[in-house]
Amino acid sequence: MIKENVGIITFPIGKAGFVATSNLVEILSTIFNETYLITGNVKPDSFKRKKNIYIYNIEHKKGSNFFLRSIQYITTQLKISYRLIKINRNTKILVFFIGGNTLIIPMIFAKLLRKKVILMLAGSSLESFRSSHSDLSKPIEIFENINRLLTNRIIVYSPNLIKEWNLNKYNKKILISNEHFLDYDLFKIIKKIDERKNIIGYIGRFSEEKGILTFIEVISILIKKFENAEFLIGGNGELRGKINNYIESNNLTNKVTLTGWIPHDTLPEYLNKLKLLILPSYTEGLPNILLEAMACGTPVLATSVGTIPDIITDGETGFIITKNTPEDITKKIISILKNPNLNKIVDNARNFVEKKYNFNTCLKNYEKIMMEVLK
């Protein structure tokens, strides 16, 4: 254990960010003497309780127009900055995590307080804002660039992301690591792949960059060519109304099950129902659902973005979408459902994630990183 304390700072997280934040807290609280988490939207008992974890919740309200959203965004950053000042004497390293790449005011405070600052890029805030055509896209781009300049180190999940997220000029700062590990007693194979119905699923956030709208177009094409296919969509987000309307107007209600947001503990139950999980994302970091599906013996068809090419080798540990169009995805799905080697691919995928994405491996990587930062 390092005899120093660490602070973790995130923008108030949604349901999709909880597992990643929980994993990072678990890893760093094992390495450091005390861990201080400044976040939002979590209950005091949300994380596995240890004596050395202290949680500070920040409330964030969303404005109804550009002016109010900007005011609320600045207000939230000031609240986080105030908390940073309060924990100043207790911390030496500060890790900016989910949403942290745009927290420009807390980053400036962290540097004024002479902290060692690590910026962990779990995803691209800029791409998310751009895909939703947000009027905050330009300010977000400016904030990201300033924060990358100010931070001592940048952690990304894969070398592929350096090019995808235009990080080449920060090469000397960049380290490769991730906080992903699974409970393999929970995420396991309950039903063998050849015992499952032809249920094809999407589980994740309902947002443009995730490719969910492409997936629902796939459904209307696929049922005409593969009549016994069924579909499961789990998640929530700003596109929920649009998805509901599409399903109803195209008479797909008898073929599609909409589950809403699936609690993490019940995910294995749903994943073990699927014959195939689709991730048609346009941008990604390292989606946890990818690893969870592979651990549950569910083949994954995903676009080759972010860290996905490091994990999926087409035809060996899963399948890659070469063209992210409904027609091409449909053809690929049909070929996968007829693939005679699915059992072998499922075994390869499970063995891969068990070996690479476990707590001890993550812990060793972060111990090295933190010792290097403290030099």
Side-chain angles (χ1 to χ4, degrees):
M1 180 177 281
I2 297 173
K3 293 182 179 178
E4 299 285 355
N5 300 333
V6 66
I8 303 171
I9 299 94
T10 83
F11 196 79
I13 58 174
K15 291 178 181 178
F18 176 78
V19 173
T21 304
S22 179
N23 282 0
L24 184 62
V25 169
E26 188 73 8
I27 292 165
L28 295 186
S29 65
T30 304
I31 296 173
F32 288 91
N33 186 38
E34 292 181 343
T35 301
Y36 294 81
L37 173 64
I38 301 173
T39 186
N41 298 333
V42 300
K43 298 176 182 177
D45 59 348
S46 294
F47 300 99
K48 294 177 182 178
R49 298 303 297 162
K50 289 185 176 181
K51 291 182 180 178
N52 61 340
I53 299 174
Y54 304 92
I55 300 172
Y56 300 95
N57 250 322
I58 303 297
E59 184 183 4
H60 174 69
K61 297 178 181 178
K62 293 183 179 180
S64 56
N65 56 53
F66 177 77
F67 177 74
L68 289 176
R69 284 196 298 274
S70 301
I71 294 297
Q72 293 296 347
Y73 196 68
I74 293 169
T75 301
T76 298
Q77 294 205 41
L78 290 172
K79 289 177 182 177
I80 293 171
S81 301
Y82 172 74
R83 274 297 167 193
L84 281 182
I85 295 171
K86 296 291 284 186
I87 66 168
N88 176 36
R89 293 184 180 179
N90 300 323
T91 55
K92 190 165 186 177
I93 292 181
L94 295 176
V95 180
F96 282 66
F97 191 35
I98 294 175
N101 50 337
T102 63
L103 293 176
I104 186 168
I105 299 174
M107 177 67 76
I108 291 170
F109 269 86
K111 298 306 292 184
L112 290 173
L113 294 170
R114 298 183 179 181
K115 302 299 179 184
K116 299 275 188 177
V117 181
I118 298 172
L119 180 60
M120 281 189 67
L121 300 182
S124 173
S125 297
L126 179 58
E127 291 304 319
S128 296
F129 277 93
R130 279 176 175 169
S131 66
S132 62
H133 310 290
S134 172
D135 41 20
L136 287 173
S137 296
K138 192 60 184 177
I140 291 298
E141 184 177 10
I142 295 169
F143 296 165
E144 280 193 351
N145 288 331
I146 292 173
N147 276 9
R148 290 168 184 175
L149 285 170
L150 291 177
T151 190
N152 296 91
R153 291 286 187 174
I154 298 171
I155 295 178
V156 295
Y157 294 148
S158 167
N160 295 327
L161 290 169
I162 297 173
K163 183 178 180 181
E164 283 188 26
W165 293 347
N166 298 313
L167 299 172
N168 291 295
K169 60 184 174 183
Y170 308 105
N171 261 324
K172 293 181 180 179
K173 291 184 178 185
I174 293 176
L175 299 167
I176 308 298
S177 193
N178 67 82
E179 77 293 337
H180 294 71
F181 63 88
L182 303 182
D183 178 351
Y184 291 100
D185 291 326
L186 176 63
F187 288 92
K188 61 185 178 182
I189 300 171
I190 302 169
K191 184 184 287 188
K192 293 181 181 178
I193 192 69
D194 50 14
E195 295 173 351
R196 304 181 191 184
K197 294 180 180 180
N198 290 320
I199 303 175
I200 299 149
Y202 169 93
I203 298 174
R205 203 166 66 249
F206 294 176
S207 55
E208 294 272 1
E209 79 275 9
K210 292 292 184 180
I212 177 64
L213 297 181
T214 302
F215 178 67
I216 61 172
E217 287 185 53
V218 167
I219 297 173
S220 59
I221 299 172
L222 187 61
I223 57 171
K224 297 173 185 176
K225 300 181 179 183
F226 211 89
E227 291 182 2
N228 66 343
E230 298 176 37
F231 303 89
L232 182 147
I233 299 177
N236 213 333
E238 65 268 21
L239 296 177
R240 184 176 180 85
K242 199 169 186 176
I243 292 165
N244 286 339
N245 291 339
Y246 185 92
I247 290 169
E248 290 175 8
S249 61
N250 287 275
N251 299 315
L252 299 173
T253 50
N254 63 331
K255 282 287 187 178
V256 181
T257 300
L258 288 167
T259 67
W261 191 265
I262 301 172
H264 192 247
D265 289 347
T266 61
L267 260 180
E269 175 190 337
Y270 286 90
L271 288 170
N272 272 273
K273 292 179 180 179
L274 301 183
K275 196 71 167 276
L276 183 65
L277 179 74
I278 314 293
L279 297 177
S281 308
Y282 294 96
T283 180
E284 279 290 356
L286 200 176
N288 224 57
I289 192 67
L290 169 66
L291 308 179
E292 291 161 343
M294 293 168 76
C296 289
T298 305
V300 180
L301 173 61
T303 43
S304 186
V305 295
T307 311
I308 291 172
D310 298 340
I311 300 167
I312 293 183
T313 301
D314 191 54
E316 292 184 24
T317 55
F319 303 93
I320 292 294
I321 296 168
T322 51
K323 292 182 180 179
N324 204 357
T325 66
E327 294 76 16
D328 284 285
I329 295 172
T330 300
K331 290 176 185 177
K332 189 78 173 185
I333 291 172
I334 292 172
S335 70
I336 293 168
L337 295 177
K338 294 178 179 179
N339 191 312
N341 297 316
L342 275 184
N343 281 306
K344 183 180 179 182
I345 292 166
V346 162
D347 290 341
N348 290 344
R350 168 79 189 192
N351 292 335
F352 179 87
V353 294
E354 265 193 313
K355 182 178 180 181
K356 188 169 181 181
Y357 294 96
N358 60 76
F359 182 76
N360 287 333
T361 300
C362 287
L363 187 65
K364 288 176 184 177
N365 287 342
Y366 270 93
E367 283 176 334
K368 289 179 184 177
I369 285 172
M370 295 305 164
M371 291 301 292
E372 184 174 337
V373 173
L374 282 168
K375 284 180 182 177

